[in-house]
Amino acid sequence: SAVISQKPSRDICQRGTSLTIQCQVDSQVTMMFWYRQQPGQSLTLIATANQGSEATYESGFVIDKFPISRPNLTFSTLTVSNLSPEDSSIYLCSVDGGVAFFGQGTRLTVV
Amino acid sequence: DQQVKQNSPSLSVQEGRISILNCDYTNSMFDYFLWYKKYPAEGPTFLISISSIKDKNEDGRFTVFLNKSAKHLSLHIVPSQPGDSAVYFCAASEGSGGGADGLTFGKGTHLIIQP
């Protein structure tokens, strides 16, 4: 199983600002995935990040709001832009290892 | 429309007894099912899975049962221990195994083991 480290673990941000979440994996992986869990809701896939190409976004998620970088095979960032209270969620990084493995998550609160 | 449903937001069970967590799905194309366990301030961790060609999979204290005709699966924990207190997510995929790009999750059930 992969070891996935996410930073920050939590943050409180002002409306209109942005937060960048970092995800580091202890081994090289082709694809990395970003999920969101809104309060009381299920985990929802935001996008898939491949190294060297633009991320692929799921329906309802757009690049302007959730820009993603994937500079190498062990690292990715997710930025949540122009924050509003509705963005208050847990954001999770994930990789494939037969089944999905997750980082510890980033709890974002927008005030 | 929620394709994976966990209708019990919480469940309280006495230590030593059996815990049964339920999950229903609507998409008949789902062919692989997983259970994840999540502690506060941690990410979900994989617990057990089952392919649609089976109706039961067992791993130690954990057993998952699949009833395809009813589109229902359940996770049994016997005996329940205090460390089992966590949120349990049911997940399903269609043609991608348990891969992270094809999972549909339920909202989770908070299991509380009472001493």
Side-chain angles (χ1 to χ4, degrees):
Chain A
S1 65
V3 176
I4 306 170
S5 301
Q6 266 186 251
K7 292 181 185 179
S9 57
R10 58 174 58 228
D11 207 343
I12 301 173
C13 298
Q14 297 288 326
R15 294 179 194 219
T17 63
S18 298
L19 176 69
T20 296
I21 303 166
Q22 299 179 4
C23 179
Q24 179 77 51
V25 188
D26 68 342
S27 58
Q28 293 184 341
V29 292
T30 305
M31 292 188 289
M32 296 176 74
F33 306 88
W34 288 99
Y35 277 81
R36 179 178 73 179
Q37 185 190 8
Q38 293 178 301
Q41 301 300 312
S42 57
L43 282 73
T44 302
L45 181 64
I46 297 171
T48 302
N50 285 321
Q51 194 266 334
S53 64
E54 207 166 272
T56 303
Y57 289 84
E58 298 299 308
S59 175
F61 297 96
V62 294
I63 187 171
D64 289 347
K65 177 68 175 176
F66 299 99
I68 288 171
S69 78
R70 183 77 202 276
N72 59 54
L73 291 172
T74 63
F75 187 80
S76 177
T77 67
L78 169 74
T79 299
V80 189
S81 304
N82 190 23
L83 291 168
S84 68
E86 292 71 35
D87 295 320
S88 296
S89 299
I90 298 173
Y91 293 86
L92 294 147
C93 174
S94 174
V95 301
D96 267 334
V99 295
F101 292 94
F102 291 88
Q104 75 270 34
T106 296
R107 181 179 292 273
L108 169 62
T109 303
V110 182
V111 296
Chain B
D1 178 35
Q2 219 183 334
Q3 297 187 65
V4 177
K5 299 179 184 178
Q6 294 177 257
N7 292 319
S8 299
S10 66
L11 174 67
S12 184
V13 175
Q14 202 166 9
E15 182 179 356
R17 299 286 183 96
I18 183 171
S19 295
I20 300 176
L21 294 91
N22 293 304
C23 178
D24 297 294
Y25 61 96
T26 58
N27 184 349
S28 58
M29 298 301 291
F30 285 146
D31 58 4
Y32 200 79
F33 304 89
L34 308 90
W35 285 94
Y36 281 83
K37 176 180 179 179
K38 184 182 184 300
Y39 292 119
E42 295 184 13
T45 56
F46 170 72
L47 191 56
I48 192 169
S49 63
I50 188 167
S51 164
S52 60
I53 63 173
K54 296 186 175 182
D55 55 18
K56 176 183 175 181
N57 188 27
E58 191 172 351
D59 184 1
R61 295 186 299 115
F62 303 93
T63 302
V64 56
F65 295 92
L66 175 62
N67 182 335
K68 288 191 295 292
S69 60
K71 294 191 178 69
H72 177 84
L73 63 154
S74 60
L75 174 68
H76 293 212
I77 306 174
V78 183
S80 300
Q81 299 175 354
D84 297 329
S85 295
V87 176
Y88 290 79
F89 290 98
C90 174
S93 71
E94 178 185 339
S96 64
D101 63 337
L103 292 177
T104 301
F105 284 86
K107 292 184 178 182
T109 296
H110 185 193
L111 176 64
I112 302 163
I113 305 301
Q114 304 278 9

